[in-house]
Amino acid sequence: MEKNLYNIYKTFFKVGTLLLGGGYVILPLLQSELVDKRNWIDNDELCEYTALSQSIPGLIAANLSIFVGYKLRRTGGALAAISGMITPAFLCIIVLAKILEEVIKLKFIQGIFWGVGIGVLILIYLAIKEIWHKSVIDKFTFTVFFIIFLLSVFLKISPALLVISAIVTGVVRQAILNRKKPEGEK
Amino acid sequence: MIYLQLFLEFFHIGLFSFGGGYATLPFLFHIAETQHWYTAKQLTDMIAISSITPGPVGVNVATFAGYTTSGVIGALIATSSVVLPSLIIVLIISKLLEQFKHNNYVKSVIYTLKPTGCGLLAAVGVNMFLNDMSLCGIILFLPLLILSFFKKLDPLFYLGISALFGLVLSFIKPVF
């Protein structure tokens, strides 16, 4: 399939439609659509983009689409990919939001929502576990985790403020490391 | 002006949320407390709907929050604002990929940000658990939790079982 903007949009529209239950399923979907079926990128590139997407702010699915789109057709490709990714989500929610107020009065719908709410707690727990394995790897990262957790649960400090403090901590940490090490050994 | 506020709130979510779709939740709960655009209960419903509809959960919730606040235009603004920081950051990084990967300061910041995202998400998990849990909730939650220790299952499996349990329960139990 030719790598034109329309095809990029269409491919990501398809992936966005199949993306159910959280962003972590995006990797196998992209592997099947972009690597296996279309040969647009290879597996190594996809893995590198995934790692990068997880280490910068923003939704992983959005970051990953933009990386791949950019690789395919520069800025235009990035725009086509991200638009394709969010269109199904957008349309679906707009339609649902319109009927939601009526629908939510039905008792069995309330029951389903209640159940899914509990299921989401399991998914959040699994997401925490997965991120934990990758991020809490030594004393320093454990301390950061614990302090952020306590400040967020008990003091309800704004998450943005905590993220900014973490960025500052990261920079200061590196500056201290640089000073400790002799020149030229960085 | 509501549109500008929507833009600012969702742009800052896209800029500061770390670690995937559910990482937007701490910010969305914070908005519920500070802006009163929706309640925490409404947000919990939104999260449930977003988890069973196509698309990244973060995008779903942004669209939903924008729509409840000020209709289709609000939804458009919230959705594009939440991905705009990604677009800017990724485009810059794509151009400077090599320098970015090997800079020590960048590495140190990422090393600190990852456990931060984890801590924020854990805090949301605990708060949601305390808000949502009831006896029936525990009866559903505990077996699923124990199951997840032993078997790696598709996320949709948990949502499907939970939805079914809720559906059956709605015919037995008068109120939720």
Side-chain angles (χ1 to χ4, degrees):
Chain A
M1 196 186 268
E2 205 197 328
K3 286 187 227 172
N4 60 33
L5 295 183
Y6 172 69
N7 281 338
I8 294 175
Y9 178 85
K10 216 171 65 178
T11 305
F12 279 87
F13 186 97
K14 185 175 172 193
V15 173
T17 310
L18 296 172
L19 199 62
L20 282 163
Y24 291 95
V25 283
I26 191 178
L27 188 60
L29 282 175
L30 286 181
Q31 260 163 350
S32 118
E33 293 297 320
L34 294 167
V35 182
D36 301 339
K37 285 191 199 160
R38 292 181 181 64
N39 265 319
W40 280 357
I41 55 171
D42 62 44
N43 245 328
D44 288 347
E45 287 171 314
L46 189 59
C47 287
E48 189 187 331
Y49 292 146
T50 310
L52 279 168
S53 298
Q54 288 170 337
S55 41
I56 57 173
L59 313 173
I60 293 174
N63 293 343
L64 197 47
S65 316
I66 300 167
F67 268 120
V68 176
Y70 184 83
K71 156 86 187 168
L72 295 173
R73 283 293 296 264
R74 318 300 280 179
T75 308
L79 283 171
I82 186 66
S83 320
M85 174 60 74
I86 62 181
T87 310
F90 186 82
L91 294 179
C92 200
I93 294 293
I94 292 289
V95 171
L96 275 179
K98 282 201 166 142
I99 55 170
L100 184 72
E101 274 183 36
E102 291 307 308
V103 167
I104 202 138
K105 288 175 194 149
L106 301 170
K107 245 192 80 204
F108 77 95
I109 296 283
Q110 286 175 13
I112 292 176
F113 279 4
W114 173 86
V116 170
I118 303 288
V120 166
L121 281 178
I122 297 278
L123 298 191
I124 291 179
Y125 159 76
L126 292 174
I128 294 170
K129 204 165 88 169
E130 172 146 356
I131 304 172
W132 170 278
H133 286 308
K134 286 183 198 148
S135 63
V136 182
I137 41 181
D138 50 25
K139 267 188 202 157
F140 175 79
T141 44
F142 180 79
T143 314
V144 172
F145 167 84
F146 200 62
I147 292 173
I148 296 286
F149 176 76
L150 291 180
L151 289 177
S152 188
V153 167
F154 293 108
L155 299 181
K156 313 252 181 229
I157 295 178
S158 130
L161 203 62
L162 294 173
V163 168
I164 294 170
S165 321
I167 294 174
V168 174
T169 310
V171 171
V172 171
R173 175 183 164 275
Q174 187 57 38
I176 293 171
L177 285 180
N178 280 354
R179 192 176 286 182
K180 273 185 191 163
K181 277 184 201 164
E183 283 298 312
E185 215 189 278
K186 278 190 266 186
Chain B
M1 176 150 163
I2 185 76
Y3 295 143
L4 184 67
Q5 270 179 310
L6 271 176
F7 169 77
L8 290 176
E9 286 290 349
F10 282 93
F11 187 84
H12 112 271
I13 292 180
L15 192 57
F16 291 117
S17 68
F18 235 84
Y22 288 121
T24 52
L25 300 188
F27 296 86
L28 292 166
F29 276 106
H30 192 74
I31 290 182
E33 279 166 26
T34 52
Q35 297 283 6
H36 308 292
W37 288 342
Y38 46 79
T39 63
K41 171 79 184 74
Q42 278 176 311
L43 181 59
T44 313
D45 283 339
M46 279 189 228
I47 297 164
I49 298 166
S50 302
S51 302
I52 47 177
T53 49
V57 175
V59 172
N60 290 151
V61 177
T63 308
F64 213 127
Y67 188 85
T68 28
T69 323
S70 49
V72 177
I73 298 177
L76 265 176
I77 292 174
T79 311
S80 30
S81 314
V82 84
V83 297
L84 188 60
S86 293
L87 198 63
I88 297 169
I89 293 169
V90 173
L91 289 183
I92 293 172
I93 290 176
S94 294
K95 289 186 175 133
L96 309 168
L97 195 56
E98 289 313 307
Q99 288 111 301
F100 176 80
K101 271 194 295 193
H102 301 296
N103 183 297
N104 278 336
Y105 281 96
V106 172
K107 276 193 213 160
S108 178
V109 167
I110 291 171
Y111 172 77
T112 320
L113 275 178
K114 281 186 175 173
T116 303
C118 191
L120 287 175
L121 190 55
V124 164
V126 167
N127 281 332
M128 283 179 77
F129 185 85
L130 296 177
N131 287 338
D132 297 355
M133 252 338 136
S134 55
L135 183 63
C136 294
I138 298 280
I139 293 172
L140 173 59
F141 183 80
L142 270 186
L144 288 180
L145 183 71
I146 293 166
L147 186 65
S148 80
F149 295 154
F150 297 104
K151 237 173 134 54
K152 205 172 154 56
L153 294 158
D154 195 293
L156 287 180
F157 169 82
Y158 296 108
L159 297 178
I161 292 283
S162 314
L164 200 64
F165 187 91
L167 179 67
V168 173
L169 197 67
S170 70
F171 292 107
I172 306 164
K173 205 168 167 267
V175 272
F176 279 97

